[in-house]
Amino acid sequence: MACRHRSSTTTLARLAKPARLTPRLSTQPQLQSQVASAARCFSSSRPRQLKETRCQQGKFTSETYPELKRDPRYGQVTKEHVDYFKGLLGTESAVIDGVTNENATDDIEPFNSDWMRKYRGHCRLVLKPSSTEEVSKILKYCNDNKLAVVPQGGNTGLVGGSVPVFDEIVLNMGRMNNIIEFDEVSGILTVEAGAILEVVDQFLASKGYIFPLDLGAKGSCHIGGNLSTNAGGLRLLRYGSLHGTTLGIEAVLPDGTVVDDLCKLRKNNTGYDLKQLFIGSEGTIGVITKAVIQCPQRPKAQNVALFGLESYEAAQQAFREAKGHLSEILSAFELMDAGSQALVRQVTKKNSPLEGEYPFYCLIETSGSNSDHDGEKLQTFLEDVMEKGIVVDGTLAQDETQVKALWSWREGITEALGHLGGVYKYDVSIPLPEMYQLVEDTKARVEEAGLLGDTDEHPVRAVVGYGHMGDSNLHLNVSTRRFDERVEKVLEPFVYEWISKRQGSISAEHGLGLAKKKYIGYSRTPTMVGLMKQLKDLYDPNAILNPYKYI
């Protein structure tokens, strides 16, 4: 696995006055030639199929949400249907058949459940097409026979959008994983929807480019799934969202119509930009099969620093100073609270890279093309925030191992939370001045309800917050010993009402799925929701794609 590297010189370790900010990890400066050739990896998470770590099966979604009823207009999958799909796909491995084979239950289970063990469906048939033509024929057949379908990528989502609720057919895109074309001059990539993000990024690294998206689940998630949920990730601050970096899309509508809009031009104002409808639509109006992505050149100089701060106000000041000092080379500004870092220490048993413990931590990354230039800018920034008392303590990475180690304190939070039991996750956007206040107010509410404590009778272990401060994107996590209806009632709709009062978004980057479907009105007006429903009715009049979710 390729790793991040740092190409700045050792002058960064020799800060002027503030001796407190010194590298606490061993320093081994990289040679410039090594740095130039090293491939950078965005994520410190190892590639993994998250479902393999599931220690037990979750409850059926239909039991957790008894108000959901199977829509009677959908047909039941029969042996006749299975025979058709087997004939179409032509290989046994492309069809996991639990309709006629009761022994296939264990093989289907990973496609029936999400990695958090919160959602679980009753699917009995999984289809794995290998081409757009096969996807087209599958959807046309399902549409004609009123068979409900759930498109599925790497199944790493957080809102239940990629797993069935009842007996929908799962359309898994994993076999459509080819990198079709890459232009080394323009940086334009054409790729199939089932390609794994990390594999694509490693391919681009060999060409001197980078995929404009980074996720902790990059070893499992698919490009098509990233697009369908409009995934944001760690570097949206630098490269923007997929709405901006996606030049073209190929998708299949529910009736089998292939929408070929694989444009490779950055400028194309010929009519409506219809590809944008599929980005973030969570497979409800069509299935993305290919995409054209504008990829930036891979930065040659990387620096990472981790700071300890005494208040959220200080974190805001640090962010403002970072934008002023670092501007075009600032690629990430991540916020973590003390609670989230304590959970990482508890699970990993690692020592913190800072000597003390602080209420807040910030991780800053810069990415540029000139090591000396970037090093000078970073050194000036660090001296300034230390002299002003904004930052209390900090450490700088001196080589790729240290960069990876510092990032693990941010990217390891999700995995640490998963080790401790169930997690209620809220991925939201809030105006920056009030962003962390949601964590404090939620914790107070859970405490008042008597649900937070250190003993087993208390379902909640901790309420923590972290996220992409550079994008006003907060990850509110309520760590529990077990999923408990009392906890959910305390949290919802309280969290969404709180966000709505501040004109925030209830879904920053993971979509609506099943978890947030009924709360869409907290972020969208009735007019906007009505327009969305019109689009759904237009493209999917039989409502076969990803039912029971989104709107």
Side-chain angles (χ1 to χ4, degrees), residues 230 232-233 236 312 425-438 466-476 495-511 516 522-523:
N230 190 26
L236 189 141
Y312 180 64
K425 292 178 173 287
Y426 298 91
D427 189 292
V428 299
S429 290
I430 303 166
L432 204 56
E434 294 188 271
M435 188 177 81
Y436 191 75
Q437 189 63 44
L438 176 58
Y466 62 98
H468 317 303
M469 190 169 183
D471 311 316
S472 298
N473 179 189
L474 174 72
H475 300 318
L476 169 66
V495 169
Y496 302 123
E497 290 172 345
W498 193 101
I499 293 166
S500 181
K501 288 174 184 175
R502 291 154 180 84
Q503 290 77 53
S505 169
I506 67 167
S507 180
E509 57 182 2
H510 287 293
K516 299 182 180 181
Y522 287 101
S523 288

Side-chain angles (χ1 to χ4, degrees), residues 184-206:
E184 295 189 39
V185 177
S186 66
I188 294 174
L189 169 77
T190 306
V191 64
E192 287 187 314
I196 292 173
L197 176 57
E198 184 172 50
V199 173
V200 174
D201 189 57
Q202 288 178 340
F203 165 81
L204 290 169
S206 69

Side-chain angles (χ1 to χ4, degrees), residues 184-414:
E184 295 189 39
V185 177
S186 66
I188 294 174
L189 169 77
T190 306
V191 64
E192 287 187 314
I196 292 173
L197 176 57
E198 184 172 50
V199 173
V200 174
D201 189 57
Q202 288 178 340
F203 165 81
L204 290 169
S206 69
K207 307 294 183 181
Y209 283 81
I210 198 169
F211 197 87
L213 172 70
D214 171 35
L215 299 174
K218 70 183 298 179
S220 303
C221 65
H222 294 182
I223 299 297
N226 299 149
L227 288 164
S228 70
T229 57
N230 190 26
L234 298 166
R235 300 203 169 51
L236 189 141
L237 175 66
R238 175 68 178 271
Y239 299 117
S241 77
L242 289 170
H243 277 296
T245 54
T246 303
L247 305 182
I249 275 179
E250 178 189 83
V252 181
L253 301 181
D255 65 358
T257 300
V258 177
V259 178
D260 185 353
D261 188 22
L262 290 173
C263 176
K264 298 176 183 176
L265 302 172
R266 294 188 68 181
K267 290 186 174 181
N268 179 11
N269 289 325
T270 313
Y272 298 118
D273 191 4
L274 295 177
K275 70 175 180 292
Q276 300 295 348
L277 294 177
F278 298 97
I279 300 174
S281 66
E282 299 182 53
T284 57
I285 60 173
V287 177
I288 295 172
T289 49
K290 296 186 182 77
V292 179
I293 307 293
Q294 177 71 62
C295 301
Q297 285 200 298
R298 211 168 192 89
K300 296 178 180 177
Q302 228 101 44
N303 303 285
V304 172
L306 179 69
F307 306 142
L309 307 103
E310 292 289 359
S311 68
Y312 180 64
E313 288 69 27
Q316 292 181 77
Q317 288 179 284
F319 178 47
R320 181 175 179 177
E321 295 290 339
K323 288 191 294 181
H325 283 281
L326 305 173
S327 56
E328 80 284 354
I329 62 170
L330 182 63
S331 54
F333 195 102
E334 298 293 303
L335 175 77
M336 300 89 76
D337 66 7
S340 66
Q341 295 302 278
L343 291 175
V344 177
R345 285 197 301 273
Q346 178 184 340
V347 171
T348 64
K349 311 299 182 187
K350 294 193 302 184
N351 293 323
S352 172
L354 302 183
E355 287 182 352
E357 294 184 14
Y358 302 95
F360 293 93
Y361 300 84
C362 286
L363 185 146
I364 292 181
E365 181 190 74
T366 64
S367 303
S369 59
N370 186 305
S371 173
D372 292 337
H373 169 267
D374 295 356
E376 244 177 76
K377 289 173 76 79
L378 183 59
Q379 183 166 337
T380 302
F381 162 71
L382 295 174
E383 290 173 353
D384 185 57
V385 293
M386 292 293 290
E387 288 173 355
K388 290 178 178 176
I390 296 171
V391 168
V392 180
D393 192 10
T395 185
L396 287 168
Q398 295 296 306
D399 56 39
E400 61 186 76
T401 301
Q402 294 176 13
V403 168
K404 184 177 178 181
L406 290 188
W407 266 108
S408 72
W409 288 93
R410 164 60 179 88
E411 294 180 329
I413 299 172
T414 299

Side-chain angles (χ1 to χ4, degrees), residues 58-68 117-120 424 483 485 488 514:
K59 285 178 65 176
F60 285 111
T61 304
S62 55
E63 295 173 352
T64 306
Y65 300 91
E67 70 277 9
L68 286 175
R117 308 186 298 278
K118 189 175 181 183
Y119 302 98
R120 186 180 173 211
Y424 290 93
F483 288 118
E485 189 176 345
E488 192 161 336
L514 178 62

